[in-house]
Amino acid sequence: MTDLIQLQTELMARIDAAQDLAAVEALRVEALGKSGSISELLKSLGRMSPDERREQGPKINGLRDAVATALATRKAILEEAELDAKLAAERVDLTLPPPPERRGRVHPTMQTLDEMIAVFADMGFGLAEGPDIEDDFHNFTALNFPPKHPAREMHDTFWLPDGPTGERKLLRTHTSPVQVRVMQKANEKLPSWIANGQEPPIRVIVPGRVYRSDSDATHTPMFHQLEGLVIDRDITLGHLKWTLDTFCRRFFETDAVVTRFRPHHFPFTEPSAEMDVQCDRSGGSIKIGQGSDWLEILGGGMVHPNVLRNCGLDADEWQGFAFGLGVDRLGALKYGMPDLRDMFASDVRWLEHWGFSAFQAPNPATGLS
Ligand code: DAH
């Protein structure tokens, strides 16, 4: 009997003194485990006489219950203390701003292209596309560049190695070869929503990548152009001027844009012109719609009869205009980006600064987003 009381007193003291959950578990095994001190006592009941068992049974069971309860209580106290310590150490400050979230941005060139397409689509232009890898015929010959003419060199062409048939392919130097493809109806492999291959009247724009061996602040070896082509029976230079003036006003979102045509030469148009917009270059940035400086933004003219004939159209029946705009350059102008080379340097910091949100609401004045 005294043994039981002594065992209980000793176990209770050790349970109260246990400093962590591992110590409580060790005590449980020591007392109540398979060969623990109390388990052994419980086993000894089987060897006792019925009288002895009747007397010892309740005491040993009482001891087991008391120790089990003390272990559970100590465990709960220690668990709570552990949680408190954890909460104190890992406190969450709900007043802190959330960590920055990396969002994708729309590249300014793609934003500019979308805006340009929206303006021309509103004027009734369809969309055409053509391959980046072109042949000499579509890029030069059909566009009335005479063979061996220095104008071919003017374009700083990236030539590809000779093909199996000896034909040299090239990376297109401009989007104008798609004019040829549209007029020739040559490109039937493209999806049907692309307006390639239609009979006149033709009214298409052709956005796309073009390539020239050239690199400085205003030139990159790959850049984007948007070509325009309108062919009908009675199209004049006046239509070209109106179309481009209207485009500029809508694209730059101001009626204050002033433009001028300067005579120029392109083999595929006659007459040919370059168009400038009036701007203000003072103060390090270019502002459209003010000032007295001029900036060239595109080339255009009346499609040369030789081009119409090279594409199988009757030049006595059909005539039209064409133009080519630099997409990246117009974007840089509208949004004030100083160096075109940065546009294709793949610097995420640059893109985060100059890029656009993919979820912009459309501007109610222009319908553009
Ligand atoms: N293809 C010309 C270039 O890359 C731009 C151009 C000029 C396109 C006049 C035209 C055009 O369609 O009529 O420099």
Side-chain angles (χ1 to χ4, degrees):
M1 184 64 214
T2 24
D3 280 359
L4 289 184
I5 291 171
Q6 203 182 330
L7 181 61
Q8 181 164 351
T9 316
E10 188 199 314
L11 280 172
M12 290 305 205
R14 287 176 62 200
I15 290 169
D16 277 351
Q19 285 311 302
D20 55 37
L21 292 169
V24 174
E25 176 60 10
L27 280 167
R28 190 194 63 76
V29 172
E30 189 185 321
L32 303 174
K34 231 178 179 180
S35 41
S37 49
I38 297 175
S39 307
E40 291 300 333
L41 287 170
L42 286 165
K43 277 183 219 160
S44 70
L45 285 174
R47 296 188 295 271
M48 291 178 189
S49 66
D51 282 350
E52 231 179 341
R53 195 181 306 131
R54 202 172 300 120
E55 198 212 322
Q56 290 298 319
K59 287 181 186 161
I60 295 173
N61 279 319
L63 171 62
R64 185 204 49 206
D65 292 349
V67 168
T69 306
L71 282 168
T73 308
R74 187 71 193 146
K75 192 173 169 207
I77 289 168
L78 288 172
E79 272 173 355
E80 206 175 304
E82 197 170 87
L83 187 64
D84 284 348
K86 211 169 165 189
L87 285 176
E90 296 175 8
R91 171 135 25 118
V92 177
D93 184 349
L94 294 176
T95 64
L96 286 175
E101 188 187 339
R102 270 241 160 142
R103 287 222 198 125
R105 310 285 282 167
V106 174
H107 193 286
T109 291
M110 292 302 129
Q111 171 77 17
T112 306
L113 201 50
D114 284 350
E115 293 176 12
M116 293 168 82
I117 290 172
V119 171
F120 283 113
D122 201 42
M123 288 194 238
F125 281 79
L127 201 67
E129 288 189 325
D132 288 20
I133 296 178
E134 264 299 0
D135 50 41
D136 183 83
F137 175 77
H138 289 93
N139 199 82
F140 292 124
T141 307
L143 289 166
N144 202 33
F145 284 80
K148 308 253 187 290
H149 191 276
R152 292 177 188 239
E153 306 313 315
M154 230 164 66
H155 276 200
D156 301 313
T157 311
F158 284 115
W159 290 96
L160 300 178
D162 283 358
T165 56
E167 191 200 13
R168 265 175 107 193
K169 297 265 189 180
L170 53 94
L171 294 178
R172 67 178 177 193
T173 57
H174 51 176
T175 42
S176 304
V178 188
Q179 286 186 28
V180 178
R181 291 184 178 277
V182 169
M183 287 189 272
Q184 269 189 326
K185 303 194 270 174
N187 229 328
E188 268 133 31
K189 269 177 258 130
L190 291 167
S192 60
W193 53 266
I194 290 177
N196 294 34
Q198 66 193 56
E199 299 268 312
I202 293 169
R203 201 193 293 162
V204 291
I205 49 164
V206 183
R209 276 184 292 272
V210 299
Y211 307 83
R212 288 183 204 176
S213 178
D214 208 354
S215 180
D216 59 37
T218 52
H219 297 88
T220 51
M222 187 282 302
F223 59 104
H224 298 78
Q225 284 189 338
L226 185 131
E227 189 85 9
L229 176 70
V230 172
I231 304 284
D232 207 337
R233 291 174 206 280
D234 49 9
I235 295 297
T236 70
L237 203 62
H239 293 121
L240 173 61
K241 193 151 181 17
W242 179 88
T243 304
L244 294 174
D245 276 349
T246 305
F247 165 77
C248 284
R249 278 198 297 277
R250 296 200 184 154
F251 176 77
F252 289 111
E253 297 174 46
T254 165
D255 282 340
V257 182
V258 180
T259 62
R260 72 174 182 195
F261 269 24
R262 256 183 307 102
H264 197 74
H265 170 75
F266 297 106
F268 36 93
T269 42
E270 183 57 38
S272 302
E274 279 189 331
M275 195 173 96
D276 302 333
V277 283
Q278 204 167 42
C279 62
D280 178 12
R281 276 206 180 94
S282 61
S285 64
I286 299 177
K287 286 173 215 80
I288 303 290
Q290 42 189 292
S292 53
D293 298 314
W294 294 97
L295 191 86
E296 181 234 314
I297 60 161
L298 62 88
M302 299 305 291
V303 179
H304 197 293
N306 285 351
V307 175
L308 295 171
R309 280 190 280 268
N310 290 340
C311 299
L313 293 183
D314 182 348
D316 293 326
E317 189 180 356
W318 305 108
Q319 61 186 37
F321 66 72
F323 60 87
L325 289 153
V327 177
D328 319 286
R329 192 178 281 195
L330 273 188
L333 202 56
K334 181 168 175 179
Y335 295 110
M337 284 164 281
D339 191 326
L340 279 188
R341 284 167 301 190
D342 295 337
M343 297 186 102
F344 309 117
S346 298
D347 186 334
V348 176
R349 295 166 304 177
W350 183 91
L351 197 54
E352 270 171 8
H353 179 79
W354 294 104
F356 292 81
S357 161
F359 304 107
Q360 246 174 329
N363 175 343
T366 61
L368 305 176
S369 57

